[in-house]
Amino acid sequence: MWIEKSEKEFYNDSDAKGLRLFFDDGISEEEKKWCKQFCRWLTKKYWFPIRCKIFFSSMVKFKSQKRGFCDGIFYSNEEYKTFHYPSIYIATKFVQEDDKYYRIFALAHELTHYFQWYFYEYETKSKRSLEIMATRWANYIVDEYLYENNL
């Protein structure tokens, strides 16, 4: 599902590629560093064929309109016409030590939704199967990151 860097020549459909990161003012340097390191690792390993804007919010959780509280949200540029590119919002505030792992898991989960959007998976799969797939991929990506970086 995720596109490895070695396959990028097959996926060059946009002039604007990669990840763009944006941080709220209330995010600590430790939180910024943790998120930037993970994103730097992602961009060295994986190809993001259409720019994706990632907004790191200084919140602990988001209030979802449908499912209570969540750590991250993905918006395709088709859902909301005000977005020129797909966008991800991540609640980044660390309250406990484990929160930093939940944040990168949430980001990997939402980036899987980005790839599902890119490959038109939303047209053929149920919401439940998309969520299951996103969780599996997030587990794989985060485990790979932690293993490769001895964390």
Side-chain angles (χ1 to χ4, degrees), residues 73-105:
I73 304 167
F74 170 75
Y75 295 109
S76 70
N77 60 349
E78 285 115 16
E79 286 180 281
Y80 294 93
K81 299 298 182 194
T82 56
F83 295 140
H84 190 67
Y85 298 109
S87 301
I88 292 173
Y89 290 81
I90 301 294
T92 311
K93 204 66 169 159
F94 299 170
V95 176
Q96 302 171 19
E97 183 64 22
D98 286 349
D99 286 347
K100 62 186 183 182
Y101 300 104
Y102 297 135
R103 299 315 177 234
I104 62 172
F105 176 86

Side-chain angles (χ1 to χ4, degrees), residues 17-69:
K17 302 163 180 49
L19 303 178
R20 295 295 178 270
L21 312 181
F22 301 90
F23 292 90
D24 279 356
D25 289 337
I27 296 174
S28 73
E29 288 304 313
E30 176 193 2
E31 292 162 340
K32 276 186 193 177
K33 182 180 174 186
W34 180 255
C35 296
K36 284 181 180 180
Q37 283 176 328
F38 183 60
C39 289
R40 193 172 304 117
W41 178 84
L42 287 172
T43 57
K44 286 180 181 176
K45 234 175 142 53
Y46 297 101
W47 181 244
F48 300 91
I50 297 175
R51 176 169 296 157
C52 184
K53 294 181 175 183
I54 303 172
F55 297 91
F56 294 96
S57 171
S58 61
M59 299 174 71
V60 175
K61 296 269 186 195
F62 295 122
K63 175 96 172 89
S64 172
Q65 293 174 344
K66 300 173 187 167
R67 296 174 289 177
F69 291 91

